Amino acid sequence: MAGEILTYEVYWRPMDGDEHVRDWAALHATEPPAGFVGGWLKAAAAVARPLARAGVSPNMVTVAALVMAVVAVPLAAVDGWIGPAAACLAVTISGLLDSLDGAVAVQAGRTTRVGFLLDSALDRIADAAFPAALALAAGGGAWVAVAATAACWWLEYVRARGSLAGVTGKALITPGERPTRIILTAVGLGLPMLATAALWAHVVIVGGSAVLLFVDSLRRLGGAEPTAPKEAS
């Protein structure tokens, strides 16, 4: 009717876990994951379902995830065990929210280009906040934190540029993906004696993953290059 204001409740349709996993896979250009990842996505869908029904904005969830990641940095600098423990909690909440923003968008049918850009851009800030918090908890290691951040950014840069260059097919899921980085950070903050080890694990695992993705992207692009026709003898 003219002048009637329609809410998302009008269009919202419940989506079960399997449907959510399929939609997630389609958005990420990969196969629907099984095992732990598939179970995690189904759990995220269950939590996101009431948020989507309530009309919660996926972009607000994305911003909240960044806020918790940034808050972890000053918390990690607080003396004693309370600061790192609070920082560990902040990182854990940030990770949960990071998995929920996409789930809310899929559940509510509100996946947008703006949301995709916002999620990717703010995640890169969080990627810098995590090593910074670890360095503060460790009481040093600023250069290792810089290297860890560079490894994270290079991994995501290779993925983004590879997509623009025309890398096709099933997306390569590396060991250094975002869930791994969040877990390493949470462990290093929850157990400050492991903070330095968690920083180096960022450098080795994520850096190695970036190299793996780079080589895989070059291989795929090389295989897709047209070959020059042979001249007739």
Side-chain angles (χ1 to χ4, degrees), residues 27-106:
L27 286 171
H28 292 79
T30 186
E31 297 295 326
F36 174 78
V37 176
W40 175 265
L41 289 173
K42 291 179 182 179
V47 176
R49 199 169 294 124
L51 297 178
R53 178 181 287 276
V56 173
S57 167
N59 292 343
M60 291 304 299
V61 179
T62 300
V63 172
L66 173 65
V67 170
M68 296 307 298
V70 172
V71 164
V73 178
L75 288 176
V78 176
D79 292 333
W81 65 270
I82 295 180
C88 174
L89 178 61
V91 167
T92 302
I93 294 174
S94 175
L96 293 173
L97 290 173
D98 183 60
S99 67
L100 280 179
D101 57 359
V104 171
V106 170

Side-chain angles (χ1 to χ4, degrees), residues 149-165:
T149 301
C152 293
W153 286 357
W154 188 37
L155 173 62
E156 300 301 337
Y157 181 80
V158 170
R159 176 172 288 117
R161 297 300 294 181
S163 177
L164 288 174

